[in-house]
Amino acid sequence: MRGRLRTLAATGASVPITLVGLVLITFLIGRVMPIDPVIAIVGDHAPPDVMQAVRDQLGLDKPLTTQFWIYVTHLAQGDMGRSVMTSHPVTEDIVQYFPATIELATVAIVIATVIGVPLGVLAAVKQRTRIDHAIRVFCLAGHSIPIFLLALLSLLIFYATLGWAPGTGRQDVAFEGMDPTVTGFMLIDTLLAGDWDSFHDALAHLAQPAGVLAYFSMAYIARMTRGFMLDAMQGEYVVTARAKGLSAARVIWRHVFGNIAVRLITVLALTYAGLLEGAVVTETVFSWPGLGQYLTVSLLNADMNAVLGATLVIGVSYLLLNLVADMLYRALDPRSR
Amino acid sequence: MSDAAAGGPPPARTISWRDWLLTETPHSRAQAAWGRRFRLWLDFRSNPLAMAGLILALLLVAATLAAPLLTTQNPDAQDLANRLSPPSWQHWFGTDELGRDVYARVLYGGRITLGMVIAIVLLVAPVGLVIGCAAGYLGGLFDRVLMRVTDIFLAFPRLILALAFVAAIKPGITSAILAIALTAWPPYARLARAETLTFRKADFVAATKMTGASGGRIVLRHIVPLCLSSLVVRVTLDMSSIILTAAALGFLGMGAQPPSPEWGAMIATARRFILDHWWVPTVPGIAIFVASLAFNLLGDGLRDVLDPKQR
Amino acid sequence: MLVQIENLSISFQTAHGLSHAVRNVSLTLGAEKLGIVGESGSGKSLTARSILKLLPDSAILTADTLTFDGIDILRADASAMRAIRGRRAGLVMQDPKFSLNPVMSAGQQIAEAWRAHRKNAGRREAMSAAIDLLAQVQIRDPVRVAAAYPHELSGGMGQRVMIAMMLAPDPELLIADEPTSALDATVQAEILRLMEDLVARRGMALMLISHDLPLVSHFCDRVAVMYAGRIVEEVAASALRGATHPYTRGLLDCIPMLQHPQPRLQTLARDPSWLA
């Protein structure tokens, strides 16, 4: 038990270093790379006294290490500066917009796993048959298609042509603001308020962006599952299982799949992290009020504080997800005990 | 064989180049090397998907290079009277919101995309390779620091980091290239490092060291060539991802700027016409898809041929 | 007659044409211990596994007769094979490091084998049966081993687990495919004696495959020697000294013996006519 805690601790120990590195990179991007960091933050048209105030605040006349220290201490207090665009503190903005992205990503990964994993197993079991080829083509397409095209086509087909799904946005204008924001997750908040109509509306609006993201990650998950399964099927223990007279289904699921399940969890965690990236583009197309859209809008507005704040938060989430994946792997795989 | 058993030189007859390449007994190192390459090519050729990828990629490159030959239209020529017209004999893919010929724009836009990808790869692969090999070979503090740095870069999703970089410098093609390059090099360094670590302990390295070769020479002349095949596979597979990232940057307005016919930027400006004039944003999107697909197939095929156990 | 094989041939489609791994092999097995000896690539494993139809998917299997207790293996469908595998014939493989499922405990794997052919068997019943079987294969602390994972077990213990697993459904035939080749020399004899004991007590037949001629001749009633996919000699174990085929003679002569030291060890000179 102690040994296990120690390895978990060792894994966790590398996190702070990487975290510092993340912060350093955002600092470099924000303060060192731009020609004039102040303009990057407040824009070209800010009055000179605002510019001077910002300059003092950032400590731009001080040496670089002091600037970094100022930056870090501000971050530690949760101060990521103020967004020019929304004129709110960036931290507040992120707290407001992040849950929408998390909701989107979570629903997407659930769909992707439920469909992708069995597809991958099927492709492996039926290797070299037409089903396998079809699934491989499906995965290849998902890997090669740009998400924004898929999002646009989805709007075209499912919204405009077939009328199956509502348009962009998280809710219909009619339902906006009807239920109090408790968690920031629309599905949960509407349920908590007992508002079935809002819930249905939220679900309907979630369907397309989550579907697009789901297809994207489902392709990857299916491909990884197939690869893992094909690998594991070569094992001698598969012959043993068959020699015991077990049914094909039991051999495939209990023995082969059981062996790759842990690796698959790592893949899922990493895919979830990748969804944060995909969300940036998807949210833009569907006008989904999440962190991704916040990032792209602040990019267009050259709002440096917001850009860096969002980047840092996404980077940290990515890091934490990787950590969770690693820890889960060590905890679940009997061989690493 | 009875000829050899009879003694004396084999009868002088011309052998086909194919036999020369596939002979079991090569007479020179060059012949053996070419023979090996030819066998790899035969393996590759027997894979229909890989061949499809290769042909597609070649067609793409050819089409973009030969753009002036394949269309007489000027990609920048506006024809506002004719805007958003559907595909016709005059405009094979219709016209966009400013009346420009979509087909011509896609062709010329291909130059931008492929140019970006090649620039990025040329920047990233050699740098990543050398850094990774050096880290793997030298070990110690240099290695640890380097691994930390790659960890940090890998801690960001590629697109996000690229966006942040571009935000700091002015948006544009050069910024996009630099930004993507900065985010793309870590995996190559890691790959090269991993390969170097396996080779470093090999006997032939020790032997070369004993003949007095310097570390640099060992790394450059002996280890780097061995890493090349997995690097090539990785680069080809990565190309599709780079194409998608570059397009995403363009779509978000952070890469090539309008009126440049870069595919992502084309989709961005035409986005609002998806419902009524779907071909305007869709055609460049399909172009991106085809390009990405081609390199995916090619990369998969190369991997099957060069590194079969990784299938 | 438990197993009857007549003119069994197994081939594989390779990039360079058809590869004949097993060529016109015929043998029978009754209530006895048969040893099949041969070098790597002689086709002995494939021959044995064909009884349970556990060949790779790419294998092409043909035979005039291939029956187990009268059941036609060639034409048997999946459920018929499932009734034979485990229940009537078990297979012990070479290296427990690979042949045991790494993510299931030893006890779980044995219990699974025990329950597979006993309808309505409970989990707890199966686990206690598993612990009992572990005791039968002479494992000193069966409860601890039952909870252990394969990577925590030594080679000898792993092989005992394997044997326990295959004996759980009470089969009539045990096929042991190089069961001791991955074990230390000291453990090898123990494992074989264990198998011999269990097989005798349960009245089972044994098919022992090995590349080790003296080992096989010691533990088996009859020995079949395979070379390049064919059976070149079949003798009673006691009559092995008097074997006639030059390959067998060559193998026998190559064995270094302390009692008869030689200044130069013999080597085996292969005659291409053996391939015919």
Side-chain angles (χ1 to χ4, degrees):
Chain A
M1 189 62 193
R2 205 184 304 158
R4 192 135 50 115
L5 278 178
R6 214 170 327 140
T7 37
L8 283 180
T11 323
S14 65
V15 171
I17 307 177
T18 319
L19 208 55
V20 171
L22 278 180
V23 172
L24 183 62
I25 288 202
T26 46
F27 170 71
L28 289 174
I29 296 175
R31 307 275 185 267
V32 177
M33 276 178 73
I35 303 170
D36 188 342
V38 180
I39 294 188
I41 293 180
V42 299
D44 291 355
H45 309 291
D49 48 321
V50 173
M51 286 206 186
Q52 189 54 45
V54 172
R55 194 161 285 135
D56 289 335
Q57 198 185 33
L58 295 180
L60 283 178
D61 41 342
K62 303 202 179 59
L64 217 55
T65 38
T66 325
Q67 287 187 45
F68 185 58
W69 183 245
I70 298 177
Y71 183 65
V72 169
T73 41
H74 277 259
L75 272 182
Q77 294 163 12
D79 179 10
M80 289 195 252
R82 195 166 280 271
S83 159
V84 175
M85 199 175 51
T86 63
S87 62
H88 293 151
V90 170
T91 322
E92 250 181 55
D93 284 340
I94 292 184
V95 167
Q96 188 188 354
Y97 291 114
F98 205 16
T101 307
I102 297 181
E103 189 176 25
L104 187 58
T106 309
V107 172
I109 195 105
V110 167
I111 301 175
T113 308
V114 164
I115 302 184
V117 169
L119 270 187
V121 172
L122 186 64
V125 168
K126 299 260 186 240
Q127 197 197 5
R128 291 197 205 106
T129 62
R130 257 177 295 185
I131 296 183
D132 180 27
H133 285 134
I135 295 179
R136 287 182 77 184
V137 167
F138 174 81
C139 293
L140 201 53
H143 196 79
S144 317
I145 200 166
I147 311 188
F148 44 93
L149 180 68
L150 202 60
L152 287 173
L153 286 178
S154 167
L155 273 176
L156 175 67
I157 298 176
F158 295 110
Y159 167 57
T161 316
L162 292 172
W164 286 356
T168 56
R170 213 175 170 193
Q171 290 173 297
D172 258 354
V173 179
F175 292 105
E176 249 172 60
M178 284 191 71
D179 302 309
T181 308
V182 177
T183 57
F185 299 121
M186 200 60 70
L187 289 180
I188 299 182
D189 287 345
T190 47
L191 276 181
L192 284 178
D195 190 347
W196 283 116
D197 293 325
S198 275
F199 178 76
H200 279 138
D201 179 61
L203 199 60
H205 278 265
L206 194 54
Q208 271 193 98
V212 167
L213 279 176
Y215 174 60
F216 197 63
S217 27
M218 168 189 322
Y220 181 66
I221 292 176
R223 199 166 73 132
M224 295 308 278
T225 308
R226 175 184 179 275
F228 289 160
M229 288 291 287
L230 285 179
D231 244 352
M233 276 165 34
Q234 306 289 332
E236 280 279 287
Y237 60 87
V238 180
V239 181
T240 308
R242 290 178 67 203
K244 290 202 277 196
L246 302 174
S247 68
R250 195 172 165 91
V251 173
I252 300 263
W253 288 102
R254 183 77 174 88
H255 288 260
V256 184
F257 187 76
N259 259 278
I260 65 162
V262 182
R263 273 199 281 170
L264 214 52
I265 291 183
T266 315
V267 167
L268 289 181
L270 294 178
T271 311
Y272 192 83
L275 279 179
L276 293 177
E277 192 180 15
V280 171
V281 175
T282 313
E283 286 179 12
T284 309
V285 175
F286 287 102
S287 303
W288 190 263
L291 198 59
Q293 198 188 38
Y294 183 70
L295 180 61
T296 49
V297 174
S298 38
L299 276 170
L300 289 172
N301 284 305
D303 187 348
M304 209 55 191
N305 277 338
V307 169
L308 289 183
T311 306
L312 192 58
V313 166
I314 295 182
V316 170
S317 314
Y318 209 57
L319 189 65
L320 286 176
L321 280 167
N322 272 291
L323 185 65
V324 165
D326 211 6
M327 287 190 164
L328 274 178
Y329 188 90
R330 281 173 211 274
L332 293 174
D333 187 47
R335 274 167 290 191
S336 44
R337 291 184 192 163
Chain B
M1 295 225 310
S2 47
D3 277 324
R13 54 185 171 91
T14 49
I15 54 176
S16 69
W17 54 266
R18 200 194 154 94
D19 286 335
W20 182 80
L21 284 169
L22 290 176
T23 177
E24 299 276 313
T25 51
H27 294 294
S28 67
R29 193 140 32 122
Q31 189 182 7
W34 280 110
R36 202 188 61 223
R37 288 181 198 131
F38 188 62
R39 279 199 189 86
L40 286 176
W41 164 246
L42 286 180
D43 266 340
F44 185 83
R45 209 178 58 169
S46 62
N47 183 347
L49 282 179
M51 283 307 287
L54 179 64
I55 293 174
L56 212 54
L58 288 175
L59 279 177
L60 239 100
V61 173
T64 49
L65 285 178
L69 298 173
L70 291 170
T71 177
T72 49
Q73 307 268 4
N74 184 344
D76 295 317
Q78 300 184 10
D79 184 5
L80 289 170
N82 224 351
R83 53 195 293 270
L84 298 173
S85 60
S88 62
W89 279 119
Q90 208 197 3
H91 299 283
W92 292 359
F93 287 144
T95 56
D96 69 359
E97 68 277 6
L98 292 176
R100 296 174 290 202
D101 180 33
V102 172
Y103 173 61
R105 284 178 71 73
V106 166
L107 278 181
Y108 281 90
R111 291 183 168 188
I112 301 180
T113 304
L114 289 178
M116 283 176 80
V117 170
I118 292 177
I120 293 170
V121 166
L122 285 178
L123 275 177
V124 159
V127 169
L129 179 63
V130 168
I131 293 184
C133 284
Y137 189 73
L138 294 171
L141 189 63
F142 183 60
D143 181 29
R144 272 212 297 270
V145 166
L146 201 71
M147 280 310 102
R148 235 355 115 214
V149 172
T150 54
D151 271 346
I152 295 169
F153 272 92
L154 286 172
F156 282 106
R158 207 191 261 191
L159 179 63
I160 311 280
L161 194 57
L163 284 173
F165 272 125
V166 173
I169 38 188
K170 216 155 66 95
I173 295 189
T174 333
S175 323
I177 292 179
L178 282 174
I180 301 180
L182 273 166
T183 58
W185 71 268
Y188 296 109
R190 292 223 110 163
L191 183 66
R193 175 182 175 270
E195 300 258 317
T196 309
L197 284 178
T198 41
F199 293 132
R200 190 172 65 162
K201 310 252 167 62
D203 283 343
F204 73 88
V205 171
T208 320
K209 243 196 277 196
M210 277 199 287
T211 65
S214 71
R217 189 182 168 84
I218 295 179
V219 169
L220 280 175
R221 276 216 56 181
H222 295 273
I223 297 188
V224 163
L226 290 170
C227 303
L228 276 182
S229 63
S230 46
L231 201 77
V232 165
V233 171
R234 195 54 181 273
V235 164
T236 318
L237 285 172
D238 220 9
M239 275 199 198
S240 79
S241 153
I242 293 178
I243 291 176
L244 291 174
T245 310
L249 279 181
F251 178 72
L252 293 171
M254 292 293 123
Q257 299 291 303
S260 172
E262 195 262 323
W263 294 339
M266 282 172 74
I267 302 182
T269 46
R271 189 174 128 199
R272 57 190 188 279
F273 302 113
I274 182 71
L275 298 181
D276 299 311
H277 309 275
W278 57 269
W279 58 92
V280 186
T282 306
V283 169
I286 294 181
I288 302 173
F289 171 59
V290 168
S292 180
L293 184 68
F295 284 105
N296 261 327
L297 289 174
L298 186 58
D300 272 345
L302 279 177
R303 186 182 51 200
D304 288 346
V305 155
L306 290 174
D307 208 355
K309 50 183 161 59
Q310 249 198 53
R311 198 190 307 232
Chain C
M1 205 53 22
L2 208 50
V3 176
Q4 273 189 295
I5 304 179
E6 239 170 89
N7 273 331
L8 173 73
S9 288
I10 303 175
S11 5
F12 293 90
Q13 187 70 257
T14 66
H16 308 287
L18 216 56
S19 159
H20 301 282
V22 174
R23 289 186 256 206
N24 301 107
V25 162
S26 303
L27 49 81
T28 57
L29 176 70
E32 57 182 326
K33 302 200 282 281
L34 172 70
I36 304 184
V37 184
E39 53 194 42
S40 304
S42 55
K44 48 194 201 303
S45 281
L46 288 171
T47 307
R49 291 189 188 198
S50 63
I51 300 174
L52 291 175
K53 240 179 176 177
L54 284 174
L55 300 171
D57 285 328
S58 49
I60 306 166
L61 173 64
T62 57
D64 291 343
T65 312
L66 178 60
T67 62
F68 179 85
D69 196 21
I71 305 172
D72 188 350
I73 301 285
L74 277 178
R75 280 168 200 75
D77 63 356
S79 60
M81 285 316 301
R82 273 207 306 273
I84 299 177
R85 291 182 193 142
R87 176 80 191 78
R88 308 198 61 189
L91 174 65
V92 173
M93 285 184 284
Q94 181 171 332
D95 197 343
K97 257 203 318 281
F98 301 118
S99 55
L100 291 176
N101 190 334
V103 297
M104 284 171 79
S105 73
Q108 283 174 320
Q109 297 187 51
I110 303 174
E112 186 185 36
W114 193 87
R115 284 181 74 198
H117 300 277
R118 289 179 175 85
K119 303 211 192 319
N120 310 320
R123 250 178 246 267
R124 228 173 301 178
E125 220 188 320
M127 190 50 88
S128 62
I131 295 178
D132 182 55
L133 278 161
L134 283 171
Q136 282 184 47
V137 294
Q138 294 164 15
I139 285 187
R140 237 169 293 146
D141 191 353
V143 178
R144 183 188 71 84
V145 171
Y149 284 89
H151 67 278
E152 297 170 330
L153 302 173
S154 70
M157 278 206 282
Q159 206 61 314
R160 290 175 204 268
V161 169
M162 191 68 180
I163 295 170
M165 188 166 30
M166 285 304 157
L167 292 181
D170 257 328
E172 300 151 54
L173 165 66
L174 185 66
I175 305 175
D177 191 352
E178 308 238 27
T180 54
S181 306
L183 303 174
D184 297 334
T186 44
V187 185
Q188 278 185 15
E190 277 177 32
I191 297 291
L192 278 168
R193 248 177 266 127
L194 173 69
M195 277 202 305
E196 197 184 29
D197 182 53
L198 289 167
V199 159
R201 245 193 285 159
R202 289 164 177 245
M204 289 165 64
L206 174 70
M207 186 184 278
L208 179 63
I209 295 142
S210 178
H211 55 263
D212 194 336
L213 191 49
L215 195 96
V216 162
S217 60
H218 191 91
F219 284 101
C220 297
D221 306 322
R222 263 194 312 140
V223 177
V225 179
M226 282 187 76
Y227 179 72
R230 285 190 211 282
I231 294 188
V232 295
E233 184 132 33
E234 217 177 309
V235 287
S238 47
L240 196 55
R241 296 279 138 218
T244 50
H245 195 276
Y247 178 64
T248 324
R249 282 247 63 89
L251 285 179
L252 287 168
D253 293 337
C254 286
I255 300 170
M257 284 190 281
L258 280 174
Q259 297 89 330
H260 307 282
Q262 293 163 316
R264 228 187 143 75
L265 288 175
Q266 297 260 26
T267 53
L268 188 60
R270 290 160 202 276
D271 191 341
S273 66
W274 300 342
L275 288 168

